[in-house]
């Protein structure tokens, strides 16, 4: 245990740039140590941290202890799932996504404490080409625990789905120190009831409500469906139900052909038509959007590829396929679609290998990075200013309307902003860049206004960054008082004293007896 | 303006592994890419062509599979691609490489400008550009970071020097080698890929270019590799732990007390 002195100040913050407070911080290295902390915590609250890259302040403590999992960073085993024809990697919660990417690319693991069967599986893996873990949030220094807790996703989630889809098994320590293992397919919720046995042989059962899910990509509140896998309740629970100490994650064979194309279009209308056509006619893994403001920003600030002044809107499309012939075919069709929508085959960038693909990914990531640099500069003049970043998704039929709404309101309020992101999933981010505190306040109001609109058309207030502490009011807007109280009851089953991550998801820390 | 661009295929990594038995490069398992400097040479050629018209031809000497790389390059808007490949070209040192490439350029014919990369990331000698110019008996300028003016029979370039830069004027035909700062290379477009589907890479052997086979490949090499070895690095890294004070103390002890820095 460490007291929070100068040395640990950084642990009071995450990438949302808000700061909290805490009395002490623990860096457990085993699940056993996690249990000990909880057994001794009593009624003191415990905020769980992974790599603190979260954007919703979920890992920012509000007093009590911090339980930081960054030292649980070992990849502990590998197995081959014969039936499904895929590998499953066992990793501790603090393992970073970048670490997983690296070891899989190099096929070189620290196998010191691996079992014999894991070694055998590794031999098999080395003989069977390249494998990958599909979730691809932009921030690769996120931890697996954090990704599971937030159900993180990225551009390729358009095809591969979010983190949830790739988690096979979780080891979770509950607030009373008991340990449970949740396996997909085995631990089911049936007719609203679940039944599990903890490591010490204690039976844990309860009733779960089922709540309607918005029919969109979603990272807002608990996943509660009829006959679901219990593991899915914990994925996306943002540290409020238990501490993930270990995860079994699925690996897929890396497709032989991966190509990316950035298509430039003469106006936004034509870009939207292009997106709809690509979605219905082709099978890409990612469709990403850059509005004209984002392109102008990149042109001015980023050391990007050269592009024509006349290019207005850009769409990035990525394909994964079994061979060159098929993938080239898709890209040729993409070109035809672009021309039909008012674009030009010549005004495209095609990446056909890893190095070129990297260039297009960097170009994609340059948008939020450039925004952050500008905001940091402005914060030095007025520290009250922060980036206002929306994370909302709407159903497909509402895509054009929401884009129009964003444009209209940004112009009416005379704000500086960029609009970009996962348009394939109807999930585009608006980043407002306040030039003054007035802009900031106007932007905040606008954000709430948009949240209401999005909810009204059946969308979600957070599609990937989670609710954390920043969007609690928006979650309530989305699921209403009754939704919140149903979710609270779920929390009470696993964390009756309300000590885990108080302030996340729910307005106030819920305490025993309240 | 007719331009020839020389491009070389290199392993995608700078961590070259050498087989201790045969002392040759282990190519197995290494992805091959176009020498990164050569993408800048290509870009410059395409920009000059856009301004002045004419043709761009890429020329490479290498193993038969380099053809795939050249096919990809055709999609950038290059007019033709030539691969010199023949067992008799193999094992060339820079002299023999320059001679072979010069023969290729002559056979392509009617050229105003040859553009090479500054150096190849594997061989790293930076000799081929100048060697080629000598074999073609034309002037050359290396490390070009800007083509300031170019017109029929004349080019004005700015080149990087150890302590700054200098501007050099040349008559054409000539050879220039370029550095990365000269431009940002483009990616192919869908339109370019579609057009290139029909294009073929021309493949020439020693007889096609009509060179003296004693002057190319291993026979034509003036230098031979007697020994190659992997340099041994013995740098060690020590991680300091503990409080900031303790780490600062440990650093002081190591640097000042033990090693006598300052
Ligand atoms: C530049 C940038 C780009 C980003 N891009 C994306 C993106 O494309 N997609 C996306 O989804 N997100 C993105 N994020 C947000 C962030 O990276 C993700 O939310 C990530 O999943 C957080 O992981 P972490 O390890 O940093 O978690 P933290 O920030 O440490 O924690 C996040 C939440 O998870 C909980 N938690 C962490 N570890 C555990 C655990 N072991 N058990 C239980 N609960 C835990 C915490 O209590 C907290 O509520 C981005 C962030 C940045 C800074
Ligand atoms: C003593 C010696 C022995 C060698 N023996 C062998 C051997 O046995 N087998 C072997 O495979 N290699 C051998 N090499 C390597 C081979 O000579 C070089 O790869 C080749 O001459 C190019 O030199 P470089 O890589 O230093 O290119 P640089 O001179 O650094 O390249 C400058 C530019 O020249 C052009 N260029 C260079 N090579 C080519 C090419 N092949 N096609 C088109 N353009 C090109 C490119 O534009 C490049 O950017 C040997 C090299 C030396 C010095």
């Amino acid at each position: 245990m460490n007291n929070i002195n100068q040395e640990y100040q950084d642990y009071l913050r995450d990438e949302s740039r808000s700061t909290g407070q805490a009395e002490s911080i623990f860096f457990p290295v085993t699940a056993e140590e996690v249990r000990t902390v909880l057994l001794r915590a009593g009624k003191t609250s415990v905020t769980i941290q992974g790599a603190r890259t979260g954007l919703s302040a979920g890992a920012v403590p509000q007093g009590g202890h911090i339980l930081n999992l960054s030292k649980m960073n070992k990849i502990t085993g590998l197995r081959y799932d014969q039936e499904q024809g895929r590998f499953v990697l066992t990793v501790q919660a603090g393992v970073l996504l970048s670490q997983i990417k690296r070891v899989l690319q190099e096929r070189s693991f620290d196998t010191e404490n691996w079992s014999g069967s894991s070694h055998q599986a590794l031999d098999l893996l080395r003989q069977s080409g390249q494998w990958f873990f599909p979730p691809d949030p932009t921030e690769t220094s996120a931890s697996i625990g954090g990704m599971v807790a937030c159900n993180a996703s990225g551009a390729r989630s358009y095809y591969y789905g979010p983190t949830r889809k790739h988690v096979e098994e979780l080891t979770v320590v509950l607030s009373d120190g008991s340990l449970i293992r949740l396996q997909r397919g085995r631990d089911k919720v049936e007719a609203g009831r679940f039944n599990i046995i903890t490591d010490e042989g204690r039976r844990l059962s309860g009733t779960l409500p089922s709540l309607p899910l918005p029919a969109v990509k979603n990272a807002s509140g608990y996943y509660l469906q009829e006959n679901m896998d219990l593991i899915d309740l914990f994925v996306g629970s943002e540290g409020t139900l238990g501490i993930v100490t270990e995860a079994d994650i699925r690996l897929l064979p890396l497709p032989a052909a991966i190509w990316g194309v950035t298509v430039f279009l003469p106006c936004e209308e034509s870009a939207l038509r292009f997106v709809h056509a690509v979605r219905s006619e082709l099978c890409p893994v990612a469709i990403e959007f850059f509005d004209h403001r984002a392109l102008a920003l990149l042109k001015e600030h980023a050391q990007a590829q050269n592009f024509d002044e006349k290019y207005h809107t850009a769409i990035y499309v990525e394909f994964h396929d079994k061979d060159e012939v098929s993938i080239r075919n898709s890209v040729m069709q993409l070109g035809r679609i672009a021309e039909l929508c008012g674009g030009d085959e010549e005004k495209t960038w095609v990446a056909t290998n890893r190095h070129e693909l990297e260039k297009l990914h960097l170009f994609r990531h340059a948008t939020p990075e450039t925004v952050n640099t500008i905001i940091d500069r402005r914060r030095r003049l007025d520290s009250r200013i922060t980036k206002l970043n929306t994370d909302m998704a709407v159903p497909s039929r509402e895509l054009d309307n929401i884009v129009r709404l964003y444009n209209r309101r940004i112009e009416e309020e005379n704000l500086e902003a960029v609009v970009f992101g996962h348009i394939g999933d109807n999930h585009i981010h608006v980043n407002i860049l306040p030039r003054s505190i007035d802009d900031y306040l106007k932007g905040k109001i606008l954000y709430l206004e948009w949240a209401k609109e999005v909810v009204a058309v059946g969308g979600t207030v957070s599609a990937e960054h989670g609710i954390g502490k920043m969007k609690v009011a928006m979650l309530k807007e989305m699921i209403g008082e009754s939704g919140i109280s149903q979710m609270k009851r779920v929390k009470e089953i696993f964390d009756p004293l309300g000590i885990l991550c108080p302030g996340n998801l729910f307005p106030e820390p819920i305490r025993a007896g309240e | 303006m007719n331009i020839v661009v020389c491009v070389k295929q290199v392993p995608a990594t700078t961590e070259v592994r050498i087989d201790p038995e045969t002392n040759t490069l282990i190519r197995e398992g290494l992805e091959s890419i176009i020498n990164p400097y050569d993408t800048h040479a290509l870009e410059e050629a395409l920009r000059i062509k856009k301004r002045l018209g004419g043709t761009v031809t890429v020329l490479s000497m290498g193993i038969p599979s380099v053809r795939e790389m050249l096919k990809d390059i055709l999609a950038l808007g290059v007019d033709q691609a030539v691969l010199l490949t023949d067992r008799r070209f193999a094992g060339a040192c820079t002299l023999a490489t320059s001679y072979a490439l010069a023969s290729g350029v002559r056979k392509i014919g009617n050229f105003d400008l040859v553009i090479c990369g500054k150096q190849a990331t594997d061989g790293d000698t930076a000799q081929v550009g100048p060697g080629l110019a000598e074999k073609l008996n034309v002037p050359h300028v290396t490390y070009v970071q800007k083509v300031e003016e170019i017109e029929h029979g004349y080019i004005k370039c700015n080149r990087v020097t150890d302590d700054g830069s200098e501007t050099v004027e040349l008559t054409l035909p000539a050879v220039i080698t370029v550095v990365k700062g000269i431009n940002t290379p483009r990616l192919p477009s869908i339109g370019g890929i579609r057009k290139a589907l029909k294009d073929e890479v021309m493949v020439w052997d020693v007889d096609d270019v009509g060179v003296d086979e004693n002057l190319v490949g291993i026979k034509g090499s003036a230098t031979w590799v007697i020994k190659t070895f992997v340099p041994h690095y013995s740098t060690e890294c020590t991680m300091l732990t503990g409080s900031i004070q303790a780490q600062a103390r440990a650093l002081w002890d190591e640097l000042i007390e033990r090693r006598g820095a300052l």
Side-chain angles (χ1 to χ4, degrees):
Chain A
M1 188 195 88
N2 300 281
N3 291 320
I4 301 287
N5 52 26
Q6 205 55 36
E7 204 173 319
Y8 295 100
Q9 289 297 312
D10 276 353
Y11 293 92
L12 300 176
R13 286 188 283 273
D14 70 0
E15 285 294 325
S16 71
R17 318 238 158 135
S18 53
T19 306
Q21 55 198 316
E23 279 116 53
S24 55
I25 183 164
F26 299 86
F27 294 93
V29 291
T30 60
E32 210 41 56
E33 289 183 14
V34 173
R35 300 179 71 164
T36 311
V37 172
L38 287 163
L39 286 169
R40 294 201 192 145
K43 289 187 178 175
T44 310
S45 70
V46 177
T47 296
I48 310 158
Q49 294 185 336
R52 291 180 300 111
T53 70
L55 297 172
S56 313
V60 176
Q62 296 192 332
H65 301 310
I66 299 172
L67 192 57
N68 183 297
L69 289 136
S70 58
K71 300 228 159 87
M72 290 188 66
N73 57 2
K74 300 256 165 350
I75 299 177
T76 55
L78 179 73
R79 66 170 193 274
Y80 182 65
D81 180 341
Q82 198 92 39
E83 214 165 291
Q84 302 291 336
R86 64 182 168 225
F87 287 93
V88 177
L89 195 64
T90 307
V91 301
Q92 290 184 326
V95 168
L96 305 184
L97 178 61
S98 55
Q99 208 177 329
I100 293 176
K101 285 173 85 127
R102 198 183 55 242
V103 295
L104 287 175
Q105 200 185 325
E106 295 171 0
R107 293 190 287 186
S108 142
F109 296 78
D110 174 9
T111 57
E112 202 178 302
N113 294 311
W114 280 27
S115 67
S117 66
S118 285
H119 277 283
Q120 275 169 11
L122 182 56
D123 287 341
L124 191 63
L125 180 112
R126 286 193 174 132
Q127 290 157 25
S128 54
Q130 290 283 340
W131 293 76
F132 81 122
F133 176 57
D136 64 332
T138 316
E139 179 55 83
T140 58
S141 52
S143 73
I144 287 295
M147 285 176 63
V148 168
C150 297
N151 190 25
S153 56
R156 291 170 175 179
S157 300
Y158 173 68
Y159 176 76
Y160 292 103
T163 302
R164 164 171 290 121
K165 283 224 156 193
H166 307 278
V167 179
E168 180 93 5
E169 209 173 313
L170 289 179
T171 305
V172 180
V173 174
L174 299 178
S175 64
D176 64 357
S178 53
L179 186 143
I180 57 173
R181 291 173 211 275
L182 300 168
Q183 207 183 81
R184 188 171 296 285
R186 185 190 67 189
D187 305 301
K188 305 286 283 187
V189 179
E190 271 156 24
R193 287 197 64 77
F194 72 89
N195 227 314
I196 39 170
I197 312 275
T198 69
D199 245 29
E200 293 137 330
R202 195 162 61 83
R203 177 178 299 276
L204 194 67
S205 57
T207 310
L208 298 178
S210 91
L211 283 180
L213 276 182
V216 297
K217 179 176 176 184
N218 187 28
S220 313
Y222 299 143
Y223 181 93
L224 288 163
Q225 295 293 289
E226 271 175 46
N227 303 326
M228 62 185 251
D229 282 293
L230 191 57
I231 197 171
D232 284 331
L233 175 62
F234 284 81
V235 178
S237 63
E238 300 192 47
T240 60
L241 299 179
I243 296 102
V244 174
T245 56
E246 199 167 77
D248 279 11
I249 56 173
R250 295 172 175 172
L251 308 180
L252 293 181
L254 189 71
I258 301 183
W259 287 21
V261 188
T262 304
V263 177
F264 293 90
L265 293 141
C267 63
E268 203 158 86
E269 288 301 312
S270 119
L272 288 169
R273 250 183 293 138
F274 177 71
V275 169
H276 291 295
V278 171
R279 283 201 298 211
S280 65
E281 291 172 42
L282 298 173
C283 185
V285 301
I287 313 177
E288 297 283 305
F289 175 73
F290 305 71
D291 82 335
H292 63 99
R293 306 175 184 90
L295 288 186
L297 188 83
L298 289 176
K299 185 129 203 120
E300 191 179 345
H301 295 278
Q303 300 250 321
Q305 298 274 313
N306 308 293
F307 55 92
D308 206 303
E309 301 287 346
K310 293 186 290 276
Y311 293 172
H312 185 273
T313 309
I315 307 285
Y316 172 74
V317 185
E318 190 169 305
F319 294 98
H320 290 187
D321 216 322
K322 59 180 193 306
D323 58 38
E324 283 232 342
V325 175
S326 331
I327 208 163
R328 184 177 297 113
N329 219 348
S330 299
V331 169
M332 292 302 129
Q333 273 177 273
L334 189 78
R336 289 265 181 265
I337 296 174
E339 300 234 322
L340 287 174
C341 296
D344 178 348
E345 283 196 342
E346 300 297 333
K347 292 185 178 155
T348 56
W349 296 337
V350 186
T352 61
N353 62 42
R354 200 154 53 84
H355 308 276
E356 293 170 354
L357 212 54
E358 189 111 321
K359 286 188 191 170
L360 296 190
H361 289 177
L362 283 178
F363 186 74
R364 160 67 181 81
H365 299 160
T367 316
E369 273 159 23
T370 310
V371 170
N372 290 347
T373 315
I374 294 172
I375 298 280
D376 281 344
R377 214 176 300 144
R378 292 189 186 164
R379 268 171 73 88
R380 261 175 254 143
L381 301 176
D382 187 340
S383 63
R384 292 168 299 175
I385 291 176
T386 58
K387 170 163 93 172
L388 290 163
N389 178 15
T390 76
D391 179 32
M392 306 186 266
V394 294
S396 287
R397 59 170 193 282
E398 296 294 335
L399 176 62
D400 296 23
N401 291 338
I402 202 75
V403 174
R404 270 183 226 122
L405 174 73
Y406 289 156
N407 282 330
R408 181 166 58 78
R409 296 296 287 132
I410 291 168
E411 265 154 49
E412 282 170 1
E413 296 295 337
N414 186 25
L415 287 167
E416 194 182 322
V418 295
V419 186
F420 65 96
H422 317 305
I423 198 164
D425 280 321
N426 311 300
H427 170 208
I428 49 182
H429 301 292
V430 183
N431 280 187
I432 297 171
L433 294 94
R435 289 156 296 201
S436 63
I437 188 69
D438 272 4
D439 273 4
Y440 177 73
L441 296 173
K442 264 200 290 190
K444 264 189 112 151
I445 295 168
L446 197 54
Y447 193 165
L448 289 173
E449 176 193 313
W450 285 337
K452 281 199 168 80
E453 299 271 354
V454 163
V455 167
V457 300
T460 180
V461 294
S462 174
E464 71 178 5
H465 299 152
I467 297 296
K469 297 180 181 67
M470 319 260 292
K471 298 176 204 155
V472 170
M474 290 189 195
L475 179 65
K476 194 164 154 196
E477 179 76 46
M478 183 174 156
I479 61 173
E481 196 74 66
S482 79
I484 294 283
S485 58
Q486 279 178 300
M487 285 192 185
K488 265 190 185 170
R489 279 202 290 281
V490 173
K491 176 163 168 82
E492 278 161 10
I493 299 174
F494 296 96
D495 178 21
L497 298 179
I499 62 168
L500 296 183
C501 291
N504 285 6
L505 301 185
F506 308 110
E508 269 130 39
I510 27 174
R511 292 282 171 187
E514 272 175 34
Chain B
M1 186 72 51
N2 295 329
I3 306 172
V4 178
V5 182
C6 294
V7 299
K8 182 184 184 189
Q9 191 175 60
V10 296
T13 168
T14 47
E15 272 172 52
V16 178
R17 289 176 306 153
I18 295 191
D19 185 328
E21 302 271 294
T22 61
N23 270 333
T24 55
L25 196 68
I26 302 177
R27 289 188 179 270
E28 190 239 342
L30 280 183
E31 200 189 343
S32 296
I33 55 167
I34 176 173
N35 175 32
Y37 291 98
D38 300 350
T39 61
H40 298 268
L42 259 170
E43 178 64 32
E44 203 56 28
L46 291 167
R47 288 185 188 188
I48 295 171
K49 178 187 157 181
K50 190 170 178 205
R51 285 211 305 273
L52 302 179
T55 61
V56 174
T57 304
V58 284
L59 172 64
S60 187
M61 183 174 87
I63 53 178
S65 60
V66 173
R67 209 165 140 250
E68 293 310 311
M69 181 185 93
L70 293 179
K71 281 198 81 134
D72 289 346
I73 290 173
L74 281 167
L76 291 170
V78 162
D79 298 280
Q80 51 179 354
V82 177
L83 172 62
L84 303 181
T85 188
D86 191 320
R87 285 190 168 279
R88 289 169 286 175
F89 284 132
C93 77
T94 55
L95 181 74
T97 303
S98 304
Y99 174 65
L101 290 176
S103 313
V105 172
R106 282 218 181 83
K107 175 151 169 135
I108 292 163
N110 189 25
F111 69 97
D112 298 292
L113 179 66
V114 177
I115 311 184
C116 291
K118 175 187 89 158
Q119 71 198 71
T121 53
D122 57 348
D124 255 348
T125 67
Q127 290 175 3
V128 171
L132 179 58
E134 290 309 308
K135 294 287 176 203
L136 291 169
N137 203 18
V138 299
H140 76 268
V141 53
T142 51
Y143 303 159
V144 172
Q145 61 177 345
K146 187 164 198 269
V147 173
E148 291 182 348
E149 282 172 43
I150 179 162
E151 61 189 60
H152 187 72
Y154 170 79
I155 187 170
K156 184 170 164 192
C157 303
N158 187 266
R159 73 186 288 268
V160 184
T161 61
D162 283 344
D163 42 16
S165 70
E166 63 189 6
T167 298
V168 183
E169 293 172 296
L170 301 175
T171 54
L172 294 182
V175 175
I176 66 172
T177 77
V178 302
V179 295
K180 287 187 176 176
I182 192 167
N183 55 40
T184 308
R186 72 191 62 194
L187 289 169
S189 68
I190 300 178
I193 292 177
R194 196 186 292 285
K195 279 190 211 116
L197 281 177
K198 289 178 251 101
D199 295 347
E200 275 305 323
V201 173
M202 285 183 273
V203 181
W204 295 346
D205 62 17
V206 165
D207 304 321
D208 292 327
V209 274
V211 287
D212 180 346
E213 73 171 71
N214 292 314
L215 296 180
V216 295
I218 200 153
K219 281 197 201 158
S221 292
T223 48
W224 295 273
V225 180
I226 293 171
K227 185 176 171 204
T228 50
F229 62 95
V230 184
H232 181 67
Y233 297 103
S234 57
T235 322
E236 266 174 43
C237 174
T238 313
M239 296 301 252
L240 301 177
T241 51
S243 69
I244 290 177
Q245 282 83 354
Q247 291 182 41
R249 181 79 243 166
L251 193 63
W252 175 271
D253 286 349
E254 179 63 32
L255 293 180
I256 310 302
E257 304 294 335
R258 225 159 293 150
R259 306 207 179 170
L262 282 184

